[in-house]
Amino acid sequence: MSTTDRTLVKPPEEPHDDPALRLDDASDRAVVLAGDVIDQLHGAGDVDQEDVEDLRRAVSDVEDVLEEIDPEDDR
């Protein structure tokens, strides 16, 4: 069972207009979730799939904002 505080990783209901604030929100969620997944791996070794899916969404949100900020970057 996940020990992740869902309030820390829930995306805002209304995304910010400012890409920097959206990037800040998404990267904060990614950091919290990555830490939780790593803790789970070091603990019992069982990773909560909801945390993994939330982490994927947070990373995808970060990538989307980065693409919006610099569409010419081919990373």
Side-chain angles (χ1 to χ4, degrees):
M1 178 171 189
S2 175
T3 59
T4 302
D5 181 352
R6 301 318 290 163
T7 60
L8 295 176
V9 297
K10 185 175 149 191
E13 290 187 25
E14 292 292 324
H16 299 287
D17 291 333
D18 184 351
L21 293 174
R22 286 197 317 276
L23 181 60
D24 186 51
D25 285 342
S27 63
D28 285 350
R29 287 185 285 126
V31 167
V32 168
L33 287 160
D36 287 346
V37 168
I38 290 168
D39 287 346
Q40 291 169 22
L41 285 169
H42 286 294
D46 294 327
V47 177
D48 185 275
Q49 289 304 306
E50 184 179 11
D51 289 345
V52 172
E53 291 303 316
D54 287 344
L55 177 56
R56 285 187 175 127
R57 278 189 291 277
V59 170
S60 178
D61 289 349
V62 168
E63 290 172 336
D64 291 347
V65 175
L66 290 174
E67 176 65 26
E68 179 183 334
I69 292 170
D70 188 6
E72 300 298 318
D73 190 359
D74 291 334
R75 284 186 239 181

